[in-house]
Amino acid sequence: MRTVAGLLVTTGWGQLRARPAADSLAEARRSGLGTAGVLLVADVLSVLTGRARRAHCLDAVVEAGWVLARWCVPTQGPGGGRRAA
């Protein structure tokens, strides 16, 4: 549990420290999307196999929300224009 917490803190710190350049922001968003996706799958599988309580389903719902938000919200394109991600 401490290892996972440390990895999540490190990932979050990296996202917060991303430079405002398009490439840096895109990498931070991919990192966040990947992290949320992995946690979502881990929670669902843990609940289905009986290794975690059903309360972890709430966590999975939040992670699914992050994944959907990333997929549905357009990102800032070059020159300040908006583009789909």
PDB file of all heavy atoms in Angstrom, residues 2-18 31 35:
ATOM      1  N   ARG A   2       1.952   1.249   0.745  1.00  0.00           N
ATOM      2  CA  ARG A   2       2.838   2.421   0.782  1.00  0.00           C
ATOM      3  C   ARG A   2       3.536   2.626  -0.559  1.00  0.00           C
ATOM      4  O   ARG A   2       3.761   3.763  -0.969  1.00  0.00           O
ATOM      5  CB  ARG A   2       3.869   2.266   1.891  1.00  0.00           C
ATOM      6  CG  ARG A   2       3.260   2.360   3.264  1.00  0.00           C
ATOM      7  CD  ARG A   2       4.299   2.220   4.342  1.00  0.00           C
ATOM      8  NE  ARG A   2       3.648   2.193   5.630  1.00  0.00           N
ATOM      9  CZ  ARG A   2       4.033   1.465   6.642  1.00  0.00           C
ATOM     10  NH1 ARG A   2       5.097   0.686   6.525  1.00  0.00           N
ATOM     11  NH2 ARG A   2       3.398   1.501   7.780  1.00  0.00           N
ATOM     12  N   THR A   3       3.850   1.527  -1.221  1.00  0.00           N
ATOM     13  CA  THR A   3       4.502   1.641  -2.531  1.00  0.00           C
ATOM     14  C   THR A   3       3.571   2.301  -3.528  1.00  0.00           C
ATOM     15  O   THR A   3       3.961   3.214  -4.268  1.00  0.00           O
ATOM     16  CB  THR A   3       4.930   0.252  -3.042  1.00  0.00           C
ATOM     17  OG1 THR A   3       5.819  -0.324  -2.083  1.00  0.00           O
ATOM     18  CG2 THR A   3       5.599   0.344  -4.394  1.00  0.00           C
ATOM     19  N   VAL A   4       2.317   1.852  -3.555  1.00  0.00           N
ATOM     20  CA  VAL A   4       1.334   2.437  -4.472  1.00  0.00           C
ATOM     21  C   VAL A   4       1.124   3.909  -4.140  1.00  0.00           C
ATOM     22  O   VAL A   4       1.073   4.759  -5.033  1.00  0.00           O
ATOM     23  CB  VAL A   4       0.004   1.656  -4.427  1.00  0.00           C
ATOM     24  CG1 VAL A   4      -1.073   2.359  -5.229  1.00  0.00           C
ATOM     25  CG2 VAL A   4       0.205   0.239  -4.940  1.00  0.00           C
ATOM     26  N   ALA A   5       1.012   4.218  -2.858  1.00  0.00           N
ATOM     27  CA  ALA A   5       0.841   5.623  -2.456  1.00  0.00           C
ATOM     28  C   ALA A   5       2.018   6.469  -2.918  1.00  0.00           C
ATOM     29  O   ALA A   5       1.841   7.582  -3.433  1.00  0.00           O
ATOM     30  CB  ALA A   5       0.675   5.721  -0.946  1.00  0.00           C
ATOM     31  N   GLY A   6       3.221   5.941  -2.755  1.00  0.00           N
ATOM     32  CA  GLY A   6       4.408   6.676  -3.205  1.00  0.00           C
ATOM     33  C   GLY A   6       4.415   6.899  -4.705  1.00  0.00           C
ATOM     34  O   GLY A   6       4.767   7.984  -5.183  1.00  0.00           O
ATOM     35  N   LEU A   7       4.020   5.887  -5.453  1.00  0.00           N
ATOM     36  CA  LEU A   7       3.961   6.036  -6.911  1.00  0.00           C
ATOM     37  C   LEU A   7       2.903   7.054  -7.328  1.00  0.00           C
ATOM     38  O   LEU A   7       3.118   7.853  -8.248  1.00  0.00           O
ATOM     39  CB  LEU A   7       3.680   4.684  -7.567  1.00  0.00           C
ATOM     40  CG  LEU A   7       4.823   3.673  -7.481  1.00  0.00           C
ATOM     41  CD1 LEU A   7       4.349   2.304  -7.943  1.00  0.00           C
ATOM     42  CD2 LEU A   7       6.012   4.137  -8.303  1.00  0.00           C
ATOM     43  N   LEU A   8       1.773   7.048  -6.646  1.00  0.00           N
ATOM     44  CA  LEU A   8       0.725   8.020  -6.976  1.00  0.00           C
ATOM     45  C   LEU A   8       1.157   9.443  -6.650  1.00  0.00           C
ATOM     46  O   LEU A   8       0.886  10.372  -7.423  1.00  0.00           O
ATOM     47  CB  LEU A   8      -0.572   7.666  -6.238  1.00  0.00           C
ATOM     48  CG  LEU A   8      -1.251   6.389  -6.691  1.00  0.00           C
ATOM     49  CD1 LEU A   8      -2.439   6.068  -5.793  1.00  0.00           C
ATOM     50  CD2 LEU A   8      -1.691   6.493  -8.142  1.00  0.00           C
ATOM     51  N   VAL A   9       1.829   9.621  -5.521  1.00  0.00           N
ATOM     52  CA  VAL A   9       2.332  10.952  -5.167  1.00  0.00           C
ATOM     53  C   VAL A   9       3.354  11.420  -6.199  1.00  0.00           C
ATOM     54  O   VAL A   9       3.337  12.573  -6.641  1.00  0.00           O
ATOM     55  CB  VAL A   9       2.932  10.947  -3.738  1.00  0.00           C
ATOM     56  CG1 VAL A   9       3.728  12.208  -3.470  1.00  0.00           C
ATOM     57  CG2 VAL A   9       1.833  10.776  -2.714  1.00  0.00           C
ATOM     58  N   THR A  10       4.234  10.522  -6.603  1.00  0.00           N
ATOM     59  CA  THR A  10       5.252  10.873  -7.597  1.00  0.00           C
ATOM     60  C   THR A  10       4.616  11.248  -8.931  1.00  0.00           C
ATOM     61  O   THR A  10       5.004  12.240  -9.557  1.00  0.00           O
ATOM     62  CB  THR A  10       6.222   9.684  -7.798  1.00  0.00           C
ATOM     63  OG1 THR A  10       6.817   9.382  -6.537  1.00  0.00           O
ATOM     64  CG2 THR A  10       7.295  10.013  -8.800  1.00  0.00           C
ATOM     65  N   THR A  11       3.623  10.482  -9.353  1.00  0.00           N
ATOM     66  CA  THR A  11       2.931  10.790 -10.610  1.00  0.00           C
ATOM     67  C   THR A  11       2.222  12.136 -10.519  1.00  0.00           C
ATOM     68  O   THR A  11       2.305  12.963 -11.434  1.00  0.00           O
ATOM     69  CB  THR A  11       1.909   9.684 -10.944  1.00  0.00           C
ATOM     70  OG1 THR A  11       2.604   8.446 -11.073  1.00  0.00           O
ATOM     71  CG2 THR A  11       1.170   9.986 -12.230  1.00  0.00           C
ATOM     72  N   GLY A  12       1.527  12.364  -9.421  1.00  0.00           N
ATOM     73  CA  GLY A  12       0.838  13.641  -9.235  1.00  0.00           C
ATOM     74  C   GLY A  12       1.787  14.819  -9.205  1.00  0.00           C
ATOM     75  O   GLY A  12       1.524  15.873  -9.789  1.00  0.00           O
ATOM     76  N   TRP A  13       2.922  14.642  -8.530  1.00  0.00           N
ATOM     77  CA  TRP A  13       3.926  15.712  -8.464  1.00  0.00           C
ATOM     78  C   TRP A  13       4.443  16.030  -9.866  1.00  0.00           C
ATOM     79  O   TRP A  13       4.597  17.199 -10.229  1.00  0.00           O
ATOM     80  CB  TRP A  13       5.056  15.312  -7.531  1.00  0.00           C
ATOM     81  CG  TRP A  13       6.108  16.373  -7.394  1.00  0.00           C
ATOM     82  CD1 TRP A  13       7.367  16.343  -7.887  1.00  0.00           C
ATOM     83  CD2 TRP A  13       5.974  17.626  -6.746  1.00  0.00           C
ATOM     84  NE1 TRP A  13       8.037  17.499  -7.572  1.00  0.00           N
ATOM     85  CE2 TRP A  13       7.202  18.310  -6.872  1.00  0.00           C
ATOM     86  CE3 TRP A  13       4.935  18.248  -6.062  1.00  0.00           C
ATOM     87  CZ2 TRP A  13       7.413  19.570  -6.342  1.00  0.00           C
ATOM     88  CZ3 TRP A  13       5.155  19.513  -5.534  1.00  0.00           C
ATOM     89  CH2 TRP A  13       6.380  20.160  -5.673  1.00  0.00           C
ATOM     90  N   GLY A  14       4.696  14.995 -10.646  1.00  0.00           N
ATOM     91  CA  GLY A  14       5.157  15.202 -12.020  1.00  0.00           C
ATOM     92  C   GLY A  14       4.137  15.947 -12.862  1.00  0.00           C
ATOM     93  O   GLY A  14       4.488  16.807 -13.673  1.00  0.00           O
ATOM     94  N   GLN A  15       2.870  15.641 -12.641  1.00  0.00           N
ATOM     95  CA  GLN A  15       1.818  16.342 -13.381  1.00  0.00           C
ATOM     96  C   GLN A  15       1.735  17.806 -12.955  1.00  0.00           C
ATOM     97  O   GLN A  15       1.575  18.690 -13.795  1.00  0.00           O
ATOM     98  CB  GLN A  15       0.471  15.662 -13.154  1.00  0.00           C
ATOM     99  CG  GLN A  15       0.379  14.317 -13.833  1.00  0.00           C
ATOM    100  CD  GLN A  15      -0.901  13.619 -13.498  1.00  0.00           C
ATOM    101  OE1 GLN A  15      -1.221  13.412 -12.329  1.00  0.00           O
ATOM    102  NE2 GLN A  15      -1.656  13.257 -14.519  1.00  0.00           N
ATOM    103  N   LEU A  16       1.839  18.051 -11.673  1.00  0.00           N
ATOM    104  CA  LEU A  16       1.781  19.433 -11.191  1.00  0.00           C
ATOM    105  C   LEU A  16       2.967  20.267 -11.664  1.00  0.00           C
ATOM    106  O   LEU A  16       2.847  21.473 -11.855  1.00  0.00           O
ATOM    107  CB  LEU A  16       1.721  19.453  -9.659  1.00  0.00           C
ATOM    108  CG  LEU A  16       0.419  18.969  -9.037  1.00  0.00           C
ATOM    109  CD1 LEU A  16       0.573  18.863  -7.528  1.00  0.00           C
ATOM    110  CD2 LEU A  16      -0.727  19.897  -9.402  1.00  0.00           C
ATOM    111  N   ARG A  17       4.101  19.625 -11.853  1.00  0.00           N
ATOM    112  CA  ARG A  17       5.312  20.324 -12.262  1.00  0.00           C
ATOM    113  C   ARG A  17       5.458  20.438 -13.780  1.00  0.00           C
ATOM    114  O   ARG A  17       6.459  20.978 -14.259  1.00  0.00           O
ATOM    115  CB  ARG A  17       6.542  19.616 -11.692  1.00  0.00           C
ATOM    116  CG  ARG A  17       6.570  19.517 -10.180  1.00  0.00           C
ATOM    117  CD  ARG A  17       6.973  20.764  -9.508  1.00  0.00           C
ATOM    118  NE  ARG A  17       8.319  21.107  -9.955  1.00  0.00           N
ATOM    119  CZ  ARG A  17       8.830  22.306  -9.870  1.00  0.00           C
ATOM    120  NH1 ARG A  17       8.139  23.285  -9.361  1.00  0.00           N
ATOM    121  NH2 ARG A  17      10.047  22.543 -10.292  1.00  0.00           N
ATOM    122  N   ALA A  18       4.498  19.953 -14.540  1.00  0.00           N
ATOM    123  CA  ALA A  18       4.586  20.006 -15.999  1.00  0.00           C
ATOM    124  C   ALA A  18       4.660  21.463 -16.459  1.00  0.00           C
ATOM    125  O   ALA A  18       3.952  22.331 -15.951  1.00  0.00           O
ATOM    126  CB  ALA A  18       3.374  19.318 -16.624  1.00  0.00           C
ATOM    127  N   SER A  31      -0.095  10.605 -18.594  1.00  0.00           N
ATOM    128  CA  SER A  31       0.285   9.972 -17.337  1.00  0.00           C
ATOM    129  C   SER A  31      -0.928   9.838 -16.408  1.00  0.00           C
ATOM    130  O   SER A  31      -1.147   8.795 -15.792  1.00  0.00           O
ATOM    131  CB  SER A  31       1.386  10.788 -16.669  1.00  0.00           C
ATOM    132  OG  SER A  31       1.719  10.250 -15.430  1.00  0.00           O
ATOM    133  N   THR A  35      -2.666   6.338 -15.269  1.00  0.00           N
ATOM    134  CA  THR A  35      -2.768   6.037 -13.841  1.00  0.00           C
ATOM    135  C   THR A  35      -4.212   5.742 -13.448  1.00  0.00           C
ATOM    136  O   THR A  35      -4.495   4.749 -12.770  1.00  0.00           O
ATOM    137  CB  THR A  35      -2.221   7.206 -13.005  1.00  0.00           C
ATOM    138  OG1 THR A  35      -0.852   7.419 -13.354  1.00  0.00           O
ATOM    139  CG2 THR A  35      -2.331   6.937 -11.518  1.00  0.00           C
TER     140      THR A  35
END
